[in-house]
């Protein structure tokens, strides 16, 4: 029976059916659900690792031990895991090992739009790229076979539209392969120069054999149609091309995208009149074709930027656009915002009020940069807040120390904030670091982390104590504050900024969306008392707006956090209980 | 022939359940189906869109400009925003709720007036309804999604009422079933 299944869930199903035993990942959109879904199978050990480098090394260890393993990350997570990647390519594996990397062309939920295929090429690791849920399931199985036959980790590259689209799949039973015994092999696994020198030729020979696989494998297939137009494509771009052309073009659909075939492409090119490569982001297949001496349309026709769609492909290849309803001009945009009741809001309000320079980090709280809070100056990558405030303060000294803070979430701090904090402690900059501890990994949809006390299955687990950790690094000034209490937050920020030594403020309150967080009834506006001063509007809370000249609270959004109430000088914002009295 | 349904709204309004229900019901009719969702940052109160496509064979998971047969919107401004995706004469089912986006809250922009008329002028067949009110009447504002699907079921005749009710039973947790069945009825009959 066919089921409608999310790409990431189908991928997890494929891993399960192929006998995956150990999975370790760090959440990151659009990769997160693969590991979440795998964790629903009791036969698979799954965990959230503190970061992607750890996750990849865990998967490597499990593979070495003889069990099929897996790790998943988003494109930028692969930057973090790049260190083990390049050398695991040399050592090879024992049991099969799959690395899922999920790209986010269009940056639905990312800070850049990098193309992960470059890593496959650079690390000389094969990469498969499914175009729908059925292929995600199937390719997981194929990837393990390739991994074991060719002694290499194997990438499966997802993208937002494959990861987060549901399409039909057929499932089958789990087949657990026999455990491969671990055998000590210093020459293969200990990558010191002499051994690595002997392993590098093995890698190059492996790539040569993988090219042979690419020539003949059914992972790459030709769908003959009209031969006037020949399209080479993969992933979701294949779906768009089929949508536009159907049988009206011939398509070479690539499932194994590193290494790329040579003869297959040349033969295909020789049969068609015009050759076009349709690929999102960088011209990797196109440049390969050009290196083969082929004349091909690619990035001269299609953009390097953003995700594609069927209408984009139609337009660029001269197919008439479909008639549509007209656009209505002048509509205000609706960017994402911090939720009503978000505990980060109180802290960002405080930082804005104190005119702080704020080194930001990656998470929901990046939205603190949005007006009216506008309380983040920089966001680059995981952990950069703490490392960069140290550099900022070393460069400017007292000029910045008294007004600059770093903000970083609890999960991001565990991911790569600790090393930056060690640098502050060691090289002693007078920096103020605020850990925004909402007791969960929020942005990616509530994953547990080493500070929450629960594991991926929601069972009790080890719990790292942030206060004790910071103190043990040598911070004398570590304090906890409730960001719903604006007065306390203001005091904490002022005092720690004026202190003459590095300090950590833990701004602690659980994410308002967590199921165990009890919400209070929505606040009520006393319209007679409201003087229309708009002080409450400075919070940028989506539940508060102005209707007919007075503050208005949307009762469907308000969770009764009461932060706005603290800003009202006229006592116009009332809690339900006060009204009842 | 592919039918294209867009479900749009503000992050957190419950569009994922609506698309789950629609995907489930059309699958049971033997169609090829693709559903494309939005996860991650855009969910945080931003403009969100889910695409549901079904027919004999569906390739692209997304719906593009001029392709939607139906837009089901949880919010008025969001219906207007996605109008260029609608085929001329296509149907818009919109919950007449207005949620101010942040530029309106901060005073940088105003919530546009007369959007329903503007949508009609732009070539859409608009059914604006108080789905939120009906959901509250059914027992919870959270059932707005099912009220809207109830209304959609009036227009999309390929699926019988019994098939819809069965799909709701299969998609909704038992403790919310009665509420959602009531919400569906209210959306369908009002």
């Amino acid at each position: 029976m066919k089921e409608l299944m999310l790409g990431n869930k189908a991928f997890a199903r494929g891993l399960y059916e192929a006998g995956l035993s150990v999975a370790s990942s760090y959440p990151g959109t659009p990769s997160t659900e693969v590991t979440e879904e795998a964790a629903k199978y009791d036969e698979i050990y799954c965990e959230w690792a503190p970061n992607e480098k750890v996750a990849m090394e865990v998967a490597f260890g499990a593979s070495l031990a003889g069990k099929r393993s897996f790790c998943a990350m988003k494109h930028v997570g692969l930057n973090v895991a790049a260190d083990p990647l390049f050398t695991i390519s040399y050592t090879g594996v024992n049991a099969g090992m799959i690395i899922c990397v999920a790209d986010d062309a269009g940056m639905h939920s990312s800070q850049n739009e990098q193309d992960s295929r470059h890593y496959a090429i650079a690390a000389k690791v094969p990469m498969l790229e499914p175009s729908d849920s059925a292929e995600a399931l199937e390719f997981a199985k194929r990837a393990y076979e390739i991994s074991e036959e060719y002694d290499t980790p194997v990438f499966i590259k997802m993208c937002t539209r494959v990861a987060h689209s549901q399409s039909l799949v057929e499932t089958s039973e789990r087949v657990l392969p026999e455990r491969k015994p671990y055998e000590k092999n210093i020459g293969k696994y200990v990558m010191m120069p002499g051994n690595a020198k002997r392993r590098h030729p093995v890698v190059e020979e492996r790539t040569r054999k993988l090219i042979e696989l690419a020539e003949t494998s059914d992972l790459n297939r030709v769908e003959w149609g009209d031969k006037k137009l020949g399209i080479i494509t993969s992933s979701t771009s294949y779906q768009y091309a089929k949508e536009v052309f159907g049988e009206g073009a011939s398509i070479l659909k690539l499932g194994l995208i590193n290494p790329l075939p040579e003869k297959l492409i040349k033969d295909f090119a020789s049969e068609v009149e015009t050759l076009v490569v349709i690929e999102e982001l960088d011209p990797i297949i196109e440049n390969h074709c050009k290196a083969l001496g082929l004349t091909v349309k690619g990035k001269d026709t299609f953009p390097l930027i953003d995700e594609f769609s069927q209408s984009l492909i139609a337009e660029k290849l001269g197919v008439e656009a479909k008639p549509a309803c007209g656009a209505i001009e002048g509509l205000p945009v609706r960017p994402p915002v911090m939720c009503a009741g978000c505990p980060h809001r109180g802290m960002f309000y405080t930082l804005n009020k104190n005119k702080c320079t704020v080194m930001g980090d990656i998470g929901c709280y990046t939205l603190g940069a949005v007006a009216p809070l506008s309380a983040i100056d920089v966001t680059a990558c995981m952990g950069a807040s703490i490392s960069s405030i140290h550099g900022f303060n070393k460069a400017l000294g007292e000029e910045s120390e008294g007004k600059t803070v770093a903000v970083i979430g609890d999960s991001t701090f565990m991911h790569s904030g600790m090393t930056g904090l060690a640098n502050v402690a060691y090289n002693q900059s007078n920096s103020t670091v605020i850990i925004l501890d909402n007791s969960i990994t929020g942005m990616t949809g509530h994953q547990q982390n080493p500070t929450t006390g629960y594991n991926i299955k929601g069972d009790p687990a080890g719990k790292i104590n942030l206060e004790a950790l910071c103190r043990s690094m040598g911070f004398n000034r570590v304090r906890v504050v409730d960001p719903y209490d604006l007065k306390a937050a203001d005091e904490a920020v002022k005092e720690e900024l004026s202190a003459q030594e590095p300090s950590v403020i833990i701004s602690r309150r659980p994410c308002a969306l967590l199921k165990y967080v009890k919400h209070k009834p929505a606040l009520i506006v006393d319209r007679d008392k409201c003087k229309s001063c708009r002080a409450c509007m400075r919070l940028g809370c989506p539940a508060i707006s102005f209707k007919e000249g007075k503050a208005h609270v949307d009762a469907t959004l308000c969770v009764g956090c009461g932060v706005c109430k603290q800003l009202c000088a006229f006592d116009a914002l009332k809690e339900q209980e006060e009204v009842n009295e | 022939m592919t039918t294209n349904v867009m479900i749009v709204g503000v992050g957190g309004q419950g569009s994922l359940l609506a698309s789950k229900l629609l995907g489930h019901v059309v699958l049971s009719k033997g169609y090829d189906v693709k559903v494309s969702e939005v996860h991650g940052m855009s969910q945080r109160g931003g403009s969100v869109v889910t695409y549901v496509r079904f027919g004999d064979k569906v390739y692209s998971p997304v719906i593009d400009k001029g392709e939607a047969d139906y837009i089901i919107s949880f919010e008025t401004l969001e219906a207007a925003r996605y109008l260029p995706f609608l085929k001329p004469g296509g149907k818009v089912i919109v919950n007449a709720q207005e949620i101010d986006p942040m530029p309106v809250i901060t005073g940088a922009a105003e919530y546009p007036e007369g959007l329903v008329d503007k949508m009609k002028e732009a070539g859409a067949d608009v059914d604006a309804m108080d789905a939120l009110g009906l959901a509250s009447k059914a027992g919870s504002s959270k059932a707005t999604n099912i009220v809207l699907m109830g209304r959609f079921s009036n227009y999309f005749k390929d699926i019988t009422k019994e098939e819809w009710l069965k799909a709701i039973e299969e998609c909704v947790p038992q403790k919310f079933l009665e509420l959602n069945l009531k919400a569906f009825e209210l959306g369908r009959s009002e």
Side-chain angles (χ1 to χ4, degrees), chain A residues 322-325, chain B residues 2-7 51-53 63-72 82-91:
Chain A
K322 290 171 181 157
C325 287
Chain B
T2 303
T3 302
N4 296 318
V5 182
M6 287 173 71
I7 302 170
Y51 308 104
V52 182
R53 311 190 68 214
I63 296 169
D64 220 324
K65 290 195 172 144
E67 291 181 348
D69 298 284
Y70 300 89
I71 293 177
I72 300 170
Y82 290 100
L83 210 64
F85 286 77
L86 194 69
K87 287 178 183 170
K91 190 89 197 173

Side-chain angles (χ1 to χ4, degrees), chain B:
Chain B
M1 190 50 198
T2 303
T3 302
N4 296 318
V5 182
M6 287 173 71
I7 302 170
V8 304
V10 179
Q13 280 192 300
S15 61
L16 285 184
L17 177 61
S19 63
K20 183 182 172 189
L21 179 66
L22 181 55
H24 191 86
V25 77
V26 295
L27 178 65
S28 71
K29 298 287 284 182
Y31 290 111
D32 187 20
V33 192
K34 281 192 177 163
V35 179
S36 199
E37 305 166 355
V38 175
H39 297 240
M41 184 180 254
S42 323
Q43 281 181 300
R44 302 280 174 261
S47 170
V48 294
V49 53
T50 303
Y51 308 104
V52 182
R53 311 190 68 214
F54 51 96
D56 296 335
K57 175 68 190 168
V58 179
Y59 288 106
S60 172
V62 300
I63 296 169
D64 220 324
K65 290 195 172 144
E67 291 181 348
D69 298 284
Y70 300 89
I71 293 177
I72 300 170
S73 181
F74 287 69
E75 201 272 347
T76 309
L77 172 59
E78 294 314 308
R81 188 185 311 288
Y82 290 100
L83 210 64
F85 286 77
L86 194 69
K87 287 178 183 170
K91 190 89 197 173
V92 175
I93 299 162
V94 55
N95 174 28
Q97 191 183 359
E98 295 182 357
I99 300 175
D100 287 350
M102 200 44 68
V104 174
I105 289 175
T106 60
E110 286 192 11
Y111 197 99
E113 289 184 1
L115 284 175
V116 169
D117 289 336
K118 285 180 186 168
M119 286 190 272
K120 287 176 180 166
E121 282 163 30
D125 176 11
V126 186
D127 179 356
M129 67 186 296
D130 180 18
L132 177 64
L134 292 175
S136 301
K137 202 170 151 190
S140 167
S141 61
K142 290 199 168 73
T144 304
N145 45 14
I146 303 298
V147 173
L148 288 166
M149 296 313 288
R151 181 58 60 97
F152 171 72
S153 75
N154 274 346
Y155 298 111
F156 188 70
K157 306 271 188 205
D158 289 15
I159 298 158
T160 65
K161 187 179 168 188
E162 289 64 38
E163 287 166 334
W164 280 106
L165 297 180
K166 185 164 172 280
I168 293 171
E169 278 176 32
E170 287 162 358
C171 289
V172 169
Q174 187 61 35
K175 62 176 172 174
F176 300 121
L177 183 58
E178 198 181 329
L179 162 73
N180 282 296
L181 290 174
K182 201 169 163 190
F184 184 83
E185 284 292 349
L186 283 173
R188 194 174 159 92
S189 59
E190 281 282 323

Side-chain angles (χ1 to χ4, degrees), chain A residues 375-431:
Chain A
I376 288 185
D377 290 65
V378 187
T379 297
C381 63
M382 299 285 280
S385 59
I386 304 180
S387 330
S388 61
I389 192 179
H390 178 81
F392 202 81
N393 284 341
K394 283 291 181 191
L396 295 179
E398 283 183 10
E399 189 187 331
S400 67
E401 286 166 2
K403 60 180 184 186
T404 307
V405 301
V407 293
I408 183 166
D410 48 322
S411 185
T412 308
F413 179 72
M414 281 292 125
H415 179 286
S416 40
M418 285 189 290
T419 41
L421 198 69
N423 194 37
V424 172
Y426 169 46
N427 288 310
Q428 289 286 302
S429 61
N430 182 12
S431 297

Side-chain angles (χ1 to χ4, degrees), chain A residues 148-195:
Chain A
E148 286 167 5
E149 187 177 342
Y150 293 83
D151 190 8
T152 175
V154 176
F155 274 120
I156 292 188
K157 174 178 171 279
M158 301 291 274
C159 68
T160 299
R161 292 301 178 190
V162 176
H164 289 160
S165 292
Q166 300 178 41
S167 58
L168 301 184
V169 299
E170 269 184 279
T171 59
S172 54
E173 294 302 307
R174 174 174 167 95
V175 180
L176 191 65
E178 215 168 294
R179 195 187 123 192
K180 291 173 178 270
Y182 167 67
E183 285 166 17
K184 187 165 177 158
N185 187 342
I186 291 174
K188 183 171 186 285
Y189 293 124
V190 181
M191 285 302 97
M192 51 191 176
N195 292 343

